């Protein structure tokens, strides 16, 4: 199985004169893996996601994603890489409140021709297919997302991340607003759709009850050599 993400001797500092926030000698994530990344609040999980998505750049070391060195790319090329290859489910979802459900889901394909070209048929039909698989009622598709419940908005955010079959799906604490049963059901749906899209899933959470749903777990406190004072 091919690796799709490789970190080698990666450090990250917010300021040059500060101690590093992250010091990760090695991390390899394989194609199609479902990885549960855990650790307490404040341990650097969001900082690591910023590196994996090219929002931040490593202070030293190298990050390879799809055999492309993110540290060697310009800011604009990292933005393009993120739009083309990464579907992101944010903790607060970051949906556009007054756009319809369908328009929110299709948005990534307006920023990425690569993802748009992976959609067979119309974008609206693909959005409807994803939302149907994620069990969102069809009578909600034209409603502004602000009118949906938290659980329904979560499904919209997942469909938006999945459209256009990005190679990576990153989910940053996306179930924190749901009760335990709904969290498990959502994760199972997300994994099912990630498999259909042949996407690698990186799921970040500090909720240990979700860990058994995943075949692989990494504790950031174990792989990060920086020790809290």
């Amino acid at each position: 199985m091919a690796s799709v993400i490789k970190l080698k001797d990666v450090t990250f500092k917010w300021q040059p004169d500060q101690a590093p926030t992250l010091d990760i000698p090695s991390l390899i994530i394989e194609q199609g893996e479902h990885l549960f990344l855990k650790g307490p609040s404040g341990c650097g999980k969001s900082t690591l996601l910023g590196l994996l998505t090219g929002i931040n750049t490593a202070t030293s070391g190298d990050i390879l994603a799809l055999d492309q060195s993110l540290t060697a790319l310009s800011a604009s090329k990292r933005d393009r890489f993120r739009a083309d290859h990464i579907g992101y489910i944010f903790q607060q979802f970051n949906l556009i409140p007054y756009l319809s459900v369908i328009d929110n889901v299709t948005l990534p394909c307006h920023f990425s021709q690569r993802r748009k070209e992976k959609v067979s048929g119309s974008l609206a039909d693909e959005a409807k297919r994803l939302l149907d698989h994620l069990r969102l009622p069809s009578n909600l598709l034209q409603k502004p997302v602000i009118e949906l419940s938290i659980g329904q908005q979560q499904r919209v955010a997942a469909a938006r991340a999945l459209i256009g079959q990005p190679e990576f799906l990153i989910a940053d604490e996306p179930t924190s607003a749901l009760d335990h049963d709904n969290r498990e059901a959502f994760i199972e749906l997300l994994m099912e759709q990630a498999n259909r899209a042949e996407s690698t899933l990186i799921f970040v959470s500090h909720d240990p009850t979700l860990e058994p749903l995943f075949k692989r777990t990494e504790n950031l406190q174990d792989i990060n050599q920086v020790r809290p004072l």
Side-chain angles (χ1 to χ4, degrees):
M1 190 177 290
S3 59
V4 292
I5 293 176
K6 289 183 182 179
L7 275 66
K8 182 170 177 56
D9 298 326
V10 167
T11 67
F12 178 78
K13 298 180 181 181
W14 287 108
Q15 298 293 338
D17 58 347
Q18 290 181 341
T21 302
L22 294 176
D23 179 356
I24 300 175
S26 177
L27 176 64
I28 296 174
I29 302 173
E30 307 289 353
Q31 164 68 37
E33 272 196 303
H34 297 164
L35 171 64
F36 185 77
L37 181 66
K38 68 178 183 177
S41 296
C43 75
K45 298 190 300 295
S46 293
T47 304
L48 177 56
L49 293 186
L51 292 173
L52 296 180
T53 55
I55 294 170
N56 301 322
T57 55
T59 304
S60 63
D62 201 9
I63 299 170
L64 291 174
L66 301 175
D67 295 322
Q68 173 70 64
S69 173
L70 296 184
T71 48
L73 295 179
S74 66
S76 61
K77 287 185 177 179
R78 291 198 309 274
D79 290 345
R80 171 52 50 205
F81 183 92
R82 187 164 55 252
D84 285 345
H85 302 290
I86 299 173
Y88 207 117
I89 309 173
F90 297 88
Q91 184 173 359
Q92 303 300 328
F93 307 147
N94 289 15
L95 300 170
I96 299 178
Y98 297 101
L99 283 185
S100 72
V101 166
I102 291 290
D103 287 343
N104 266 282
V105 173
T106 59
L107 203 56
C109 294
H110 297 295
F111 292 99
S112 171
Q113 185 65 27
R114 177 186 174 91
R115 285 173 71 172
K116 184 177 181 180
E117 288 173 355
K118 285 187 175 182
V119 173
S120 57
S122 74
L123 293 180
D125 284 347
E126 176 64 3
K128 290 173 185 174
R129 184 191 71 79
L130 286 167
L131 291 162
D132 180 58
H133 281 288
L134 290 163
R135 300 177 192 166
L136 189 80
S138 59
N139 64 325
L140 299 177
L141 300 186
Q142 299 304 327
K143 288 185 178 293
V145 291
I146 199 170
E147 295 181 14
L148 274 58
S149 71
I150 293 296
Q152 290 166 342
Q153 288 184 32
Q154 182 193 53
R155 284 163 168 71
V156 177
R160 181 184 62 183
L162 284 156
I163 198 166
Q165 297 179 299
E167 284 86 347
F168 308 119
L169 282 176
I170 294 180
D172 187 6
E173 303 273 10
T175 60
S176 57
L178 301 181
D179 63 49
H180 184 264
D181 288 346
N182 282 325
R183 288 179 197 182
E184 288 203 4
F186 172 75
I187 290 170
E188 287 167 0
L189 288 171
L190 183 62
M191 287 180 171
E192 178 185 305
Q193 294 308 307
N195 287 336
R196 284 177 65 104
E198 298 181 342
S199 297
T200 300
L201 173 61
I202 303 168
F203 191 99
V204 176
S205 180
H206 62 264
D207 182 354
T209 66
L210 302 177
E211 185 177 340
L213 299 172
F214 292 79
K215 289 184 178 178
R216 180 182 173 191
T217 296
E218 293 288 352
N219 187 332
L220 185 53
Q221 289 183 303
D222 293 337
I223 61 175
N224 184 15
Q225 300 303 298
V226 175
R227 293 293 173 254
L229 298 176

